Amino acid sequence: MKIQITNGRVINPSSGLDEVQDVFIAAGKVVGIGQGPASFAPNRVIDARHKIVMPGLVDLSARLREPGFEYLATLESEMFAATVGGVTSLSCPPDTDPPLDEPGLVEMLKHRAKGRNQTNVYPIGALTQQLQGSRLTEMGELRDAGCVAFSQANVPVMDTQVLARALDYAATFGFTVWLQPQDGHLARGGVAHDGEVAARLGLPAIPTCAETIALSTILHLVRHTRARVHLCRLSSAAGLDLVRSAKAEGLPVTCDVSVNHLHLSEHDIGYFNPHCRLVPPLRSLRDRDALRAGLADGTVDALVSDHSPVDAEYKQVPFEAAETGATGLELLLPLALQWARQDGIPLAQALSRITADPARILGVPAGQIGPGSPADLCIFNPEQEWVVSPQTLKSQGKNTPFLNLPLLGKVSHTIVGGFLIYEDARA
Amino acid sequence: MNGNPQLSPEGKLKHLLTIEGLPPSILFHILDTAANFEHVAQQEIKKVPHLQGKSVFNLFFEASTRTRTTFEIAAKRLSADVINLNVNASSQSKGETLLDTVDNLSAMQADMFVVRHAESGAAHLIANHVAPGIHVINAGDGRHAHPTQALLDMYTIRHFKRRFENLKVAIVGDVLHSRVARSQIHALTTLRVPEVRVIGPKTLIPRDVEQLGVRVFHDMTQGLRDVDVVIMLRLQNERMNGALLPSRDEYFKYYGLTPAKLARAKPDAIVMHPGPMNRGVEIASEVADGVQSVILKQVTFGIAVRMAVMSILAGERVGNFS
């Protein structure tokens, strides 16, 4: 399949390219930008006039709900949602049922995901067996099965000795460990930020120090083990400060925030909106603004969807009982664009946070367009407005705090491995 | 799901879920209406026809005797048909969801639900779900709100103090876990009480509670100085020994209301408690049974206030009919 994308504004964040150019694709690779190979005869020409051509999105956290939670979503539904969102590479956390703690489970997932030409799936293996925080998994075997890193999803390791040993063991092989910093004791029973809204609504609260204490522990252990750690889903200004100084010190750490925490605060809970029942909790406006500034200055490396489809039934219960998480694969791009527009962030820099930067954390050849790079691309119309609704969302999960809101930016084409796998003629 | 769903676009009360966001005019309207209903209890036939032919479902997902009973009496005095459901014991144990239960009861032509639930936000969830025309009264949801309790407390305060604009009111005890305290705070600030204080150990006071317009005290003798109204909160048994408090004895020592501590308040201060009381834990018997205590009057007023809320929600003509 040979594709020529014409007249689009090509943005490649990692090289700084931002020009109207043609892109030439053959045999799964980008074979030329501006200038195609001699006698290039495309099977398909895509007119990208007034559109932006960019590397496909790389999403560091998307729950596909397989195995074990097929009643919430299936691999098919969520892989399709990824293509609709322009996401061509994603990593999925190990909190499936059973958790991704055995090579066989990972191989099965990889096999199921590979079925068609689809978004590349990079599983994150469980750091401990059953995510129970006591015994290490066979990380070497899991890596050979396809895991690119190891994590506890959002289940904390309560035992600091186990965490130290897990980091030591991972560092032996140079594996990156992904940790979501939240102290399990301080977070116990809590569902909202320990602030004004929890006080008003009578919701059990999680203090900011649940994050900073966990972060301090992790950062001390990084200093001790020299393990490479990626910190997932920061939620607070104080937590961000710790990461900023750790980076200044030269510790091998990176971090991300979710689109929800980038745009929302505790106040969005309103009168118990269950779509704002998230882990970690949405914090204050000051925290949100600090996360935005951190994403702009690079302290925060990547923006993630934290895609977690949940069936309506599990959200239509009192706030405390509501299943956590929000759907997000289809919102990652428009919400990154919204952040760029609102905060005056150069477009290429904003797009870097959802392409080249997360690809660097994953350590995979994705997130860029250049001669010879894999032909994983996304073409979108930056001016097209659409309304987030159960009808427009293709994910099986319709649960998002952004429901009924108009967003700008709609993907018109998604290309993975040189194949056009999604096309929306109206975008 | 995000709006305040208890008011109609015209500003009329559709549901009573929380005091927060209600204008003073609605609160005064409820208090004035309750004053008219106070006579009913003194009549030979303790009934008025306001809710004749209406079905009121007392939907209690959490055990309660007193609140359920006063709602039942209030509805019966308004001539409603009252159905009491203790849901813990039936459908929830069979796996039926909260909203399924509500749908089933709605199909039985319910006109009004009085809901008590252990989780904050349950009443909002139901109110957002029911068909137009069905009214929901929150009889206590988790730690969030207990608006009729707060209204009967305001009624009691007005009965004894006449006006709100010159009062100092102290709420003492476990504010963190108390839906009663949250509703009282909103009611008192809405009615322009100039100084609302909360008193308790740091483990039982929510962070940022000052944002609700209260002053926080941890020393009860300071906090009670010159107050006109002392509201004691119930301390649940499960909070007494553990990481929140070391013991009931120590709690009583620092936060129990004794005659000596009450002497710090104004001489004519009244003492209130939403019940049920733990004598010797948050309140000494001498105070609970003393001349400044108005605790039993609160219970009596509670019926008239709940009649007022139900009749206003049902949209009946409200006036003096004694």
Side-chain angles (χ1 to χ4, degrees), chain B residues 126-159:
Chain B
I126 294 171
N128 278 312
H129 181 75
V130 294
I134 297 179
H135 307 287
V136 177
I137 299 175
N138 184 3
D141 62 327
R143 308 173 180 186
H144 171 233
H146 194 349
T148 59
Q149 176 69 45
L151 287 165
L152 77 88
D153 294 332
M154 297 310 110
Y155 190 90
T156 307
I157 292 171
R158 189 164 78 159
H159 179 89

Side-chain angles (χ1 to χ4, degrees), chain A residues 43 107 128-129 143 174 224 241 271-272 302 307 311 345 358 390 394-395:
Chain A
N43 311 87
E107 279 158 11
T128 62
Q129 294 180 28
R143 192 267 316 265
H224 174 66
D241 285 343
Y271 286 98
F272 306 101
H307 179 76
D311 194 79
I345 311 294
K394 300 305 173 203
S395 164

Side-chain angles (χ1 to χ4, degrees), chain B residues 143-204:
Chain B
R143 308 173 180 186
H144 171 233
H146 194 349
T148 59
Q149 176 69 45
L151 287 165
L152 77 88
D153 294 332
M154 297 310 110
Y155 190 90
T156 307
I157 292 171
R158 189 164 78 159
H159 179 89
F160 288 100
K161 297 293 170 191
R162 298 291 153 205
R163 35 191 293 135
F164 294 99
E165 296 86 347
N166 54 351
L167 297 181
K168 290 189 178 75
V169 179
I171 302 171
V172 186
D174 183 2
V175 178
L176 179 65
H177 299 97
S178 178
R179 53 193 171 216
V180 173
R182 285 184 176 78
S183 287
Q184 287 167 339
I185 290 168
H186 287 305
L188 291 164
T189 54
T190 304
L191 295 173
R192 315 259 192 271
V193 169
E195 188 167 341
V196 182
R197 304 175 180 179
V198 297
I199 305 172
K202 286 190 169 186
T203 46
L204 298 180

Side-chain angles (χ1 to χ4, degrees), chain A residues 1-14:
Chain A
M1 182 103 181
K2 290 182 181 169
I3 301 174
Q4 183 173 354
I5 304 167
T6 59
N7 304 315
R9 175 182 165 192
V10 182
I11 299 182
N12 182 39
S14 60

